């Protein structure tokens, strides 16, 4: 299958899928290469988006700018896939406070208008079914949250790419790349690459001696459960440290743990116990666990994503380090990189990969 493309994209996780979309939308010829592992960060991800997040109950970084881009992009992609299936679901997030310190954090922050506009029910307005939820310290409802059904989204993007002859199942190895000339490159003998290669391999981008092995990306293990429950409501995400989120198939996801790069791959009993113990602190719903999954998130030092071109060879680009917020950050960052590659527009210095160069 000899082919000339403008860009070769390595990996079809969230980063590679969104990157392919942005480039194809700008008239580029792409090929996406993925080795189709069963459990990757994107396939396992809960896919949650919340404008207020973390133990500090802070406004999520860049949410005002990047949330509208993300929602619009998922709607665009759904429309391009025929419009019959929704992958991104907008639902409020009920955030139960774990302790009085968290309630205090919220009370300090909510006087700021930029913050308060994401609050759809203050603690004294919050209603929930007391037979199902028993938070000890109250909570708050956050507007404009949502979740992407990531595995289904990736499968649809894959089918769309296959239809365009823009997808290949393969393991990419640097040794298969001919890059002597300063302009074009060839990969695996039969793909000629006119403009560049975009590294979207998740945490593995630093392995295998590629051009971005200097970027400080660490794998962070996460585990997650799939639940069946007749009790849990389907119209909200509930989060009290551990969260539970509805799915369109009637099941629920619950998670997630944050582990280390040295943890063994695959779901563990300890992970399951940690998630269930976290839920039991505020959730009385009965449920059955019908699935356990685990994968490694790509996390960059400082926790901000990385994108841009290699400082010494601009034929190589990267989009990575989406951490635990790939669904929110991915669309705006893929668009930023596409505009940089094709129109020379600036990369925001806070996310520019060059901040880690030498
Ligand atoms: C348990 C868990 C829960 C999460 N929950 C959320 C959440 O609620 N909200 C959220 O926004 N984010 C969440 N995330 C994080 C989110 O999934 C990541 O930010 C995102 O998936 C990263 O996408 P990526 O494309 O960079 O990497 P990946 O998903 O890892 O994709 C990389 C792809 O490249 C392929 N690949 C790698 N090397 C090669 C090679 N040499 N050749 C061919 N293919 C290759 C891999 O097989 C994979 O398909 C969660 C992650 C985990 C693990």
């Amino acid at each position: 299958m000899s082919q000339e493309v403008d860009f070769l994209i390595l990996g079809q996780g969230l980063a590679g899928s969104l990157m392919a979309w942005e480039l194809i939308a700008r008239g580029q010829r792409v090929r996406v290469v993925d080795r189709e592992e069963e459990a990757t960060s994107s396939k396992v991800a809960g896919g949650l988006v919340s404008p207020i997040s973390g133990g500090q109950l802070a406004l999520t970084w860049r949410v005002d700018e990047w949330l509208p881009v993300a929602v619009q992009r998922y709607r665009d992609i759904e429309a391009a896939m025929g419009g019959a299936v929704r992958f991104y679901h907008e639902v409020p997030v009920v955030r139960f406070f774990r302790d009085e310190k968290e309630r205090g954090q919220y009370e300090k922050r909510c006087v700021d208008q930029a913050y308060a506009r994401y609050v759809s029910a203050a603690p004294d307005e919050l209603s929930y079914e007391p037979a199902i939820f028993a938070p000890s310290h109250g909570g708050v409802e956050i507007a404009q949250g949502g979740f992407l059904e990531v595995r289904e989204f990736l499968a649809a993007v894959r089918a769309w790419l296959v239809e365009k002859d823009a997808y290949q199942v393969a393991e990419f190895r640097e040794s298969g790349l001919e890059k002597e000339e300063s302009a074009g490159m060839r990969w695996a003998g039969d793909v000629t690459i006119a403009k560049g290669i975009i590294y979207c391999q998740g945490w593995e981008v630093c392995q295998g001696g590629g051009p971005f092995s200097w970027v400080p990306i660490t794998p962070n293990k996460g585990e997650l459960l799939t639940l069946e429950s007749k009790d849990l409501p389907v119209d909200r995400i509930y989060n009290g440290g551990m969260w539970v989120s509805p799915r369109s198939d009637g099941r629920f996801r619950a998670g997630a743990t944050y582990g280390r790069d040295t943890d063994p791959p695959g779901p563990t009993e300890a992970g399951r116990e940690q998630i269930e113990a976290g839920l039991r602190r505020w959730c009385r719903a009965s449920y059955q666990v019908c699935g356990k999954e685990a994968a490694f998130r790509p996390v960059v030092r400082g926790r901000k994503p990385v994108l841009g071109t290699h400082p010494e060879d601009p034929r190589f680009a990267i989009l990575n380090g989406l951490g635990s917020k790939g669904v929110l950050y991915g669309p705006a960052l893929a668009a930023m990189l596409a505009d940089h590659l094709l129109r020379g527009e600036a990369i925001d210095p806070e996310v520019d990969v060059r901040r880690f160069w030498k």
Side-chain angles (χ1 to χ4, degrees):
M1 52 161 108
S2 177
Q3 190 187 21
E4 177 171 312
V5 297
D6 294 309
F7 292 98
L8 186 70
I9 298 177
L10 309 181
Q12 197 236 326
L14 263 176
S17 300
L18 293 164
M19 204 57 236
W21 169 268
E22 295 298 333
L23 291 171
I24 291 171
R26 288 162 177 74
Q28 301 300 296
R29 300 164 301 163
V30 309
R31 178 168 297 185
V32 181
V33 177
D34 190 277
R35 64 182 178 213
E36 305 210 332
E37 288 167 272
E38 178 51 29
T40 63
S41 180
S42 300
K43 285 177 184 164
V44 165
L48 272 52
V49 168
S50 178
I52 295 171
S53 56
Q56 302 290 310
L57 283 115
L59 206 56
T60 302
W61 188 59
R62 298 291 187 89
V63 66
D64 292 350
E65 264 171 275
W66 292 347
L67 180 58
V69 179
V71 176
Q72 183 58 52
R73 193 60 75 251
Y74 296 126
R75 295 286 170 254
D76 294 342
I77 298 175
E78 287 164 356
M81 309 286 157
V85 185
R86 285 227 145 176
F87 303 110
Y88 187 71
H89 305 270
E90 288 173 88
V91 291
V93 180
V94 173
R95 175 67 160 87
F96 293 129
F97 304 130
R98 277 179 288 191
D99 48 34
E100 285 307 306
K101 194 169 154 223
E102 281 195 354
R103 176 187 270 273
Q105 290 279 10
Y106 165 76
E107 278 162 6
K108 259 194 279 163
R109 293 184 193 277
C110 70
V111 293
D112 177 357
Q113 266 315 302
Y115 186 94
R117 65 195 184 83
Y118 289 108
V119 174
S120 44
D124 57 345
E125 300 161 338
L126 189 67
S127 74
Y128 49 83
E129 179 51 67
I132 306 294
F133 300 113
S136 311
H137 305 275
V140 61
E141 186 184 89
I142 302 161
Q144 298 185 52
F147 64 95
L148 181 72
E149 295 191 284
V150 188
R151 193 180 280 272
E152 291 75 5
F153 172 77
L154 296 181
V157 172
R158 181 191 182 283
W160 178 78
L161 291 168
V162 168
E163 210 177 278
K164 296 184 170 335
D165 192 21
Y167 183 83
Q168 184 175 344
V169 186
E171 165 114 26
F172 176 84
R173 288 206 183 90
E174 292 295 327
S175 55
L177 194 62
E178 297 160 44
K179 54 184 175 186
E180 269 69 55
E181 327 90 88
S182 58
M185 293 179 277
R186 279 175 81 75
W187 177 64
D190 58 4
V191 185
T192 307
I193 306 149
K195 295 181 181 166
I197 302 183
I198 308 177
Y199 287 75
C200 300
Q201 296 150 290
W203 67 271
E204 284 176 83
V205 74
C206 299
Q207 323 282 308
F212 293 103
S213 49
W214 46 276
V215 182
I217 295 181
T218 312
N220 174 273
K221 186 175 175 189
E223 297 195 38
L224 202 139
L225 304 177
T226 302
L227 310 179
E228 281 175 356
S229 172
K230 290 196 167 55
D231 292 350
L232 286 166
V234 295
D235 58 350
R236 287 196 174 32
I237 295 164
Y238 291 86
N239 184 353
M242 289 296 166
W243 49 257
V244 63
S245 169
R247 285 183 44 89
S248 57
D249 66 1
R251 292 177 166 185
F252 299 84
R253 313 286 307 278
T257 65
Y258 286 84
R260 296 204 187 94
D261 56 335
T262 49
D263 288 346
T268 61
E269 257 322 285
R272 172 190 171 132
E273 278 164 21
Q274 195 188 336
I275 295 167
E276 292 201 74
L279 293 181
R280 273 197 301 272
R281 291 177 65 174
W282 48 271
C283 181
R284 293 177 174 167
S286 64
Y287 61 82
Q288 292 80 46
V289 176
C290 56
K292 297 192 282 184
E293 291 176 276
F296 289 91
R297 307 169 180 90
V299 178
V300 174
R301 194 171 72 221
R303 307 225 157 227
K304 292 193 174 119
V306 284
L307 61 142
T309 51
H310 192 283
E312 289 181 342
D313 192 338
R315 294 178 300 170
F316 300 114
I318 186 169
L319 173 57
N320 210 308
L322 296 178
S324 56
K325 299 206 167 51
V327 175
L328 172 62
Y329 294 164
L333 298 180
M336 190 187 292
L337 183 54
D339 288 338
H340 177 70
L341 293 171
L342 300 173
R343 301 211 300 253
E345 287 185 16
I347 299 280
D348 184 324
E350 285 199 280
V351 290
D352 195 332
V353 68
R354 295 178 185 216
R355 71 190 191 271
F356 293 116
W357 180 246
K358 307 216 165 137

